[in-house]
Amino acid sequence: MQYDSDDSKESLEGSASDLQAYAVLLRALNGEFNRIAHAFAQAHDLHATDVHALAAILDASATDGEPMTPSRLRERLNLTSGAVTACLDRLERAGHISRSRDSADRRVVHLHYNPPARALARRYFSPLARSTEAAMAHFGPEQLTTIAEFLRLLNRELAKER
């Protein structure tokens, strides 16, 4: 299926390599994600940083193949050790996460997104999932593969800038 949204298509029409057009679209997407994340934070008495931490903990096993640790979270969010500890303490008190010691090296702490909190987030963010599915429906499998590869490469390049 071909992409047929007039709004986004017009901004990139005739300029598939126009960096400015991509920057505008990426900023708009980031703004929408931030709006939704801030609303979730407010609805659940969390700091914006807490929501970013939850996302990093949730995504860690998918992106890194292993559970998140406080030190990796500190690097990912560019926070001080004290700020990460405060964030994790808030999330643990609220029941969103739990911490466990690595069985091979007891000095290593793994962070886990608790199943009830995951279910809460899944319900809250279901409109985002539906919107993503609706947008994806406009593309064929090959196009989706290309889009996913673009996003992976963009994330990899951005991570180099840390």
Side-chain angles (χ1 to χ4, degrees):
M1 188 177 278
Q2 291 293 333
Y3 183 72
D4 60 4
S5 172
D6 291 335
D7 295 341
S8 295
K9 191 174 182 180
E10 283 179 21
S11 64
L12 285 175
E13 194 170 327
S15 60
S17 64
D18 182 0
L19 187 58
Q20 173 77 22
Y22 280 97
V24 168
L25 292 171
L26 289 169
R27 280 193 298 271
L29 179 63
N30 186 57
E32 288 302 313
F33 283 150
N34 283 337
R35 179 185 58 76
I36 294 165
H38 284 276
F40 179 80
Q42 286 182 329
H44 299 284
D45 295 323
L46 299 172
H47 295 246
T49 301
D50 298 347
V51 177
H52 293 294
L54 285 172
I57 293 166
L58 177 66
D59 295 344
S61 58
T63 59
D64 304 332
E66 55 190 52
M68 181 58 74
T69 64
S71 60
R72 285 182 36 233
L73 185 63
R74 180 184 58 76
E75 291 172 11
R76 177 84 41 92
L77 300 181
N78 196 29
L79 297 173
T80 65
S81 295
V84 167
T85 299
C87 173
L88 294 175
D89 288 346
R90 284 190 305 270
L91 291 172
E92 193 169 41
R93 273 194 310 273
H96 289 280
I97 66 157
S98 57
R99 302 178 217 199
S100 67
R101 297 272 177 193
D102 184 88
S103 58
D105 184 350
R106 302 286 297 153
R107 295 171 297 175
V108 176
V109 174
H110 291 161
L111 306 173
H112 308 279
Y113 204 143
N114 292 334
R118 248 184 225 236
L120 173 76
R122 188 175 295 118
R123 283 190 307 273
Y124 189 90
F125 290 104
S126 62
L128 176 60
R130 283 192 303 275
S131 295
T132 301
E133 288 175 337
M136 289 172 66
H138 292 274
F139 298 92
E142 289 178 14
Q143 291 171 308
L144 290 171
T145 298
T146 300
I147 293 166
E149 184 60 17
F150 169 76
L151 293 172
R152 268 192 294 280
L153 290 171
L154 180 58
N155 283 323
R156 189 176 307 142
E157 291 298 321
L158 290 170
K160 288 179 187 178
E161 299 295 325
R162 285 188 200 153

